[in-house]
Amino acid sequence: MSTDKTSPVDKAAAADPTAPIHLDKPHEAPVDAPPAAGEAVTAVDPRLLVREQGFAGYLSEFKRKMKAGDLGSLPVVVGLIVIMAIFQSLNSNFLTAGNLSDISVAMVGTGMIATGIVFVLLLGEIDLSVGSVSGVAGATFAVLNVTHGMAEWLALVLAILTGTVAGAIHGFVFAKIGVPAFAVTLAGLLFWNGFMLQVLGSNGTINLDSEGLVAKLTSYYFTDVAAAYGLAVIAVVAFFLTSLMDSRRREAAGVPSRPFSEIVLRTVLLAIPAFGVAAVYNQYKGLPLAVVLFLAVLVLTDFVLRRTAYGRKVFALGGSIEASRRAGINVVMVRTSIYAISGTFAAIGGLFLASKITAANQGAGSGELLMNAIAAAVIGGTSLFGGRGRTWNALLGVLVITSIQYGLALQGIASPIQYMITGGVLLATVVIDAVTRKTQKSAGRA
């Protein structure tokens, strides 16, 4: 007796392939065919919807970012405005052209060091040696130029390279040997401080030429009013053209881009403070050379971090070391180079600090310099947990710290109180950073 296991459906199909098939069992009902490709719902980038909705769209996007903890530089900008308003109410001299110009020049030395710290913090690491390295750079320049009569430009280059070498040594020991960065740079803090004292010798202080190259880093001003306004024009035009080119490039690639009206609005919002600052400088001595150099450094380093393959590797390492290694990134090379960059900017900052007092002495690189440099990077918005930050954060952070110092000095408040207030601001910033990180995790963005 043969058994035919062919199902009724198969038999019907074999008998007449064109005939419709009727099933007796409800659970054997045919499955609906998938919708045609033309009926599929196309995903729309939410950023496009925001721009289509105009002001209401941007307002809703702002609220969404606030809820998700994506605060950006908003807290530090608001804090800076509040600080300036408070000190101006206490002393009408705070917002004078002379005081604001002095603040901008005084912040450059610490700001340069903080720029290097930003690179290190992007890795989620720390560099405790930058204060001592800055002192070594100033002492090296003074000894080579003043004591041994070396040409200023050559002594300047060698002093900066001293910081580069010191940072590269720290980075190699950390990245290659595996010693924790905290321990390596703490040892560097002690070693380079002793090295500086040894270089300066028993005298302890070497005065620099007040008309020399290093002295002019903080004492030279472009007195022509066209200099400050010209720099403002260059900054605004460069921002507009860069934004426009980036928008056109994104349009060509078929990805969301900023509309022309938004680019114009952003340019206007930049032009207002740019020309306002230029007007303030022209009411005093003119445009400071130190500020021009600092801005140039920020533009260059921001370009490196955001527009180059090296910068992407830095952010990748800050996100995950193991993932970066699996992606083929040379972790040892990048880590070592980051500390070399930090040492280089520490040396540059040390030269600006030496320029401010036209001397290299045993107190260089000590005191609150290290903490101020780290605090400036963190207060400006760079995360202590790595992977988030920009070198422009150094500008915002050091501006906050220097403004607090000058404001308290105008009130005649002693240094211990200044330290306490600066520490409180730093603690508040770190708390905000930690809360922001947790909020972003809960929102699925970290």
Side-chain angles (χ1 to χ4, degrees):
M1 178 177 178
S2 63
T3 59
D4 187 2
K5 296 182 179 181
T6 305
S7 66
V9 174
D10 293 336
K11 290 180 179 180
D16 186 2
T18 62
I21 299 175
H22 300 283
L23 300 177
D24 296 332
K25 298 180 180 180
H27 65 273
E28 294 179 351
V31 180
D32 293 337
E39 300 175 358
V41 178
T42 304
V44 180
D45 194 304
R47 289 174 293 183
L48 293 177
L49 296 177
V50 167
R51 288 162 184 163
E52 290 176 357
Q53 294 169 1
F55 178 77
Y58 282 104
L59 182 61
S60 62
E61 177 70 2
F62 174 76
K63 292 179 180 179
R64 184 194 65 79
K65 287 185 175 181
M66 292 292 290
K67 290 180 181 179
D70 189 5
L71 302 177
S73 299
L74 179 62
V76 66
V77 172
V78 173
L80 183 60
I81 294 174
V82 172
I83 289 170
M84 290 188 169
I86 291 175
F87 284 126
Q88 177 64 17
S89 66
L90 296 175
N91 192 317
S92 59
N93 292 323
F94 182 78
L95 291 181
T96 58
N99 190 58
L100 293 177
S101 180
D102 290 342
I103 288 175
S104 65
V105 174
M107 74 178 185
V108 172
T110 305
M112 288 288 189
I113 301 175
T115 302
I117 289 292
V118 168
F119 279 82
V120 177
L121 291 180
L122 287 176
L123 295 181
E125 302 294 342
I126 195 67
D127 189 350
L128 301 178
S129 68
V130 289
S132 296
V133 171
S134 70
V136 168
T140 301
F141 173 83
V143 169
L144 293 177
N145 174 243
V146 178
T147 305
H148 297 286
M150 182 179 291
E152 277 195 299
W153 69 268
L154 181 56
L156 180 69
V157 171
L158 292 178
I160 295 175
L161 289 178
T162 300
T164 305
V165 172
I169 293 174
H170 300 155
F172 179 81
V173 175
F174 160 62
K176 187 67 176 179
I177 301 178
V179 180
F182 178 87
V184 174
T185 56
L186 179 60
L189 182 153
L190 300 173
F191 177 85
W192 298 115
N193 185 63
F195 183 79
M196 177 192 68
L197 298 178
Q198 183 67 30
V199 168
L200 290 175
S202 57
N203 186 26
T205 300
I206 300 177
N207 294 322
L208 304 179
D209 181 8
S210 59
E211 298 297 325
L213 178 62
V214 169
K216 287 184 177 180
L217 289 176
T218 55
S219 64
Y220 186 82
Y221 291 78
F222 298 96
T223 55
D224 192 334
V225 295
Y229 288 122
L231 181 61
V233 170
I234 292 173
V236 171
V237 172
F239 176 81
F240 174 77
L241 294 178
T242 302
S243 301
L244 185 61
M245 292 172 59
D246 182 65
S247 179
R248 297 283 174 81
R249 185 170 60 251
R250 294 175 69 86
E251 286 180 0
V255 296
S257 60
R258 300 188 189 278
F260 183 76
S261 58
E262 182 180 342
I263 295 175
V264 172
L265 177 60
R266 286 172 172 265
T267 304
V268 172
L269 293 177
L270 173 64
I272 293 174
F275 284 96
V277 171
V280 169
Y281 284 142
N282 285 332
Q283 291 177 18
Y284 189 52
K285 296 180 181 179
L287 178 64
L289 173 62
V291 173
V292 175
L293 295 176
F294 188 31
L295 292 176
V297 165
L298 292 177
V299 170
L300 177 61
T301 52
D302 184 68
F303 175 82
V304 170
L305 284 177
R306 297 176 62 233
R307 302 290 183 178
T308 65
Y310 177 80
R312 290 190 287 272
K313 291 177 182 178
V314 174
F315 281 103
L317 282 176
S320 173
I321 298 295
E322 186 58 32
S324 301
R325 184 179 289 109
R326 291 176 181 271
I329 296 177
N330 189 334
V331 175
V332 173
M333 184 278 293
V334 175
R335 281 179 156 183
T336 303
S337 65
I338 287 296
Y339 276 90
I341 291 173
S342 178
T344 301
F345 281 111
I348 295 173
L351 292 172
F352 275 91
L353 295 173
S355 171
K356 188 66 178 173
I357 61 175
T358 61
N361 56 42
Q362 294 178 340
S366 59
E368 73 276 13
L369 177 61
L370 171 61
M371 290 299 103
N372 283 347
I374 297 176
V378 176
I379 290 173
T382 304
S383 176
L384 283 170
F385 303 98
R388 178 169 60 84
R390 297 179 60 181
T391 52
W392 288 100
N393 297 147
L395 171 61
L396 293 173
V398 76
L399 188 55
V400 168
I401 291 177
T402 311
S403 297
I404 292 175
Q405 291 175 339
Y406 269 65
L408 295 176
L410 285 176
Q411 295 302 114
I413 297 177
S415 295
I417 304 299
Q418 296 184 26
Y419 293 158
M420 293 167 64
I421 293 177
T422 304
V425 173
L426 175 59
L427 177 61
T429 305
V430 174
V431 170
I432 292 174
D433 182 30
V435 172
T436 299
R437 185 177 177 85
K438 289 183 179 180
T439 305
Q440 290 179 339
K441 281 186 176 181
S442 62
R445 299 192 62 188

